[in-house]
Amino acid sequence: MRVCDPRLIKAVCDVEPWQSDEVLLATGVPRLIQQREEPDPYEQADQARSFQTAWQMLLQDFLTRVGRGEVFLEGVLIHPNPNTTPEPIPHVWAADIRLGVASGAAEVAGRRYVSVQVRFERPMPDTEHVSLFDALLRSADPSLLEAVRQAERRHLAHELQEFYRKSKGGRRQLIDDGEAQVPSSGSWTGGASLTPLSVAWIKLVAAFRATLEEVLEANIILHVRDIASAETAQQAADVME
């Protein structure tokens, strides 16, 4: 309430007295003012839609401020990788966050948080810089990464080098050359189909892209990178791709 537009807060308070505790419980929002002793059933029905609309506008105003970096959210992740330590909820997800105001929960991008709190100070920046490719390796499903490695092991080193030389999207070989297939006899010529490797990469990238879908809704995308880094050119290429 400290950061939201006072006019939107007043709009909620204007219609809240007609709402019963059951309605607020079903809506998942707290009561801002005292309930009228005996709400008129006809007035209560007429004001129900206005009440929901007022709360939707109030929450949208709050999440807009989160997206602008005026306030910051943090919570304890309980899905998919449960943790016990509060962590920041990225403000770039603000437009898609579903807040449970009364319960103190939030859900976004397939992640569920509890004990959500608001911070008015910007979290300390992460001093570690990683490329988009490194981020993929860190966040991808291990089984999808292993599928790519297994597919790579079916080919000769020079076949893999040619495959990745022609590949788009900043893909890189995951296994060492020593893990690649080697000729078993003088008649070995290689040439196994690269389709399984291509399919494995498609699945891996598709899974990672799902975590970035919110970018599609953005009006402006700002990419900040360290130009002193040895990987700055590759970082730019990864993001542009």
Side-chain angles (χ1 to χ4, degrees), residues 196-212:
L197 179 56
S198 297
V199 170
W201 263 109
I202 290 173
K203 292 181 179 179
L204 177 61
V205 173
F208 179 65
R209 183 174 296 170
T211 66
L212 305 176

Side-chain angles (χ1 to χ4, degrees), residues 34-160:
Q34 293 295 320
Q35 178 185 357
R36 291 176 56 177
E37 292 184 2
E38 295 183 2
D40 183 283
Y42 295 102
E43 289 182 314
Q44 186 175 359
D46 290 340
Q47 296 293 340
R49 181 172 299 180
S50 298
F51 175 70
Q52 293 178 0
T53 300
W55 259 108
Q56 288 173 358
M57 295 179 65
L58 183 59
L59 289 176
Q60 183 58 50
D61 178 67
F62 175 72
L63 291 175
T64 297
R65 296 171 189 276
V66 173
R68 291 202 297 252
E70 297 178 19
V71 291
F72 308 91
L73 299 179
E74 66 178 19
V76 177
L77 182 68
I78 61 172
H79 179 82
N81 301 309
N83 198 352
T84 57
T85 305
E87 61 183 63
I89 301 176
H91 69 275
V92 295
W93 291 348
D96 298 319
I97 294 176
R98 296 174 56 189
L99 283 177
V101 181
S103 62
E107 183 173 346
V108 61
R111 301 164 70 88
R112 291 198 292 272
Y113 299 86
V114 295
S115 302
V116 175
Q117 297 182 341
V118 178
R119 295 178 54 179
F120 292 89
E121 303 83 19
R122 181 179 295 276
M124 293 297 292
D126 185 0
T127 57
E128 182 183 18
H129 299 276
V130 298
S131 68
L132 191 60
F133 179 80
D134 291 332
L136 182 151
L137 295 184
R138 295 186 183 190
S139 62
D141 186 328
S143 65
L144 296 177
L145 289 172
E146 183 57 27
V148 171
R149 294 189 179 98
Q150 290 289 355
E152 287 181 341
R153 293 187 183 105
R154 300 190 184 103
H155 297 279
L156 301 174
H158 76 84
E159 291 176 330
L160 293 175

